[in-house]
Amino acid sequence: MPAPYVIRGSVFLPEAELMWRFSRSSGPGGQHVNTTDSQVELRFDLARTEALPSVWKERALERLAGRLVDGVVTVRASEHRSQWRNRETAAVRLASLLAEATAPPPKPRRPTRIPRGINERRLREKKQRSDVKRGRTGRGWT
C-alpha cells in the first residue's frame, strides 16, 4: 500500500489490522481472468480494533450493525483487471465507509417560525387565485 488511508483527522487504517483475501474475478479480462486472483476482499475487525477512539468505535458499531458479521466489516472490489487497483479501491472504500460511520451526528434542527408577512401574502395570493377560478364558472351567464 503506498500510503496510509486516513479515516478522519489523524486517525488512519492500521495496515496490521487489515485482512486481505484474493479470488478470481468475473468480468472483463478474457483468459487473464481465469488465471489471476484479481478480486479483493478486505476485512477489518471493527469490534476489536484499537486504532479508533472509543466514541468513534461505538458510533461505527451502531451505524454499521447491519453490515457486520461478528464485529467484522467486509468490503469487496473487483471493478479493475489488476489486483493492485482493486486493493486500492477496497482500501479507499473501507476508509470512506468508516469515515461516514464515525462522523458526529448532525446538529438538531432549531425550529423557526414563519414570518407573519409571508403567511399573510400566501393567504392573500390563495384568495386571489380562488377568485380567478370562481370567475371562470358559467354561473350567472344565462
Side-chain angles (χ1 to χ4, degrees), residues 78-113:
S78 62
E79 295 85 41
H80 306 289
R81 288 176 61 176
S82 87
Q83 185 187 99
W84 183 254
R85 286 180 67 192
N86 283 331
R87 283 176 63 115
E88 291 287 312
T89 303
V92 168
R93 199 177 291 162
L94 178 64
S96 66
L97 180 71
L98 290 174
E100 191 176 313
T102 58
K107 290 183 180 176
R109 182 187 172 276
R110 206 176 99 219
T112 57
R113 288 185 51 208

Side-chain angles (χ1 to χ4, degrees), residues 35-89:
T35 59
T36 58
D37 294 338
S38 60
Q39 179 176 329
V40 173
E41 184 178 281
L42 176 58
R43 298 167 53 105
F44 180 67
D45 195 344
L46 188 58
R48 293 190 185 99
T49 187
E50 297 296 324
L52 297 177
S54 60
V55 175
W56 287 17
K57 189 169 158 181
E58 290 170 17
R59 201 179 292 156
L61 285 169
E62 181 182 319
R63 290 183 182 167
L64 297 174
R67 269 191 89 142
L68 298 177
V69 177
D70 297 329
V72 178
V73 64
T74 305
V75 175
R76 278 199 182 99
S78 62
E79 295 85 41
H80 306 289
R81 288 176 61 176
S82 87
Q83 185 187 99
W84 183 254
R85 286 180 67 192
N86 283 331
R87 283 176 63 115
E88 291 287 312
T89 303

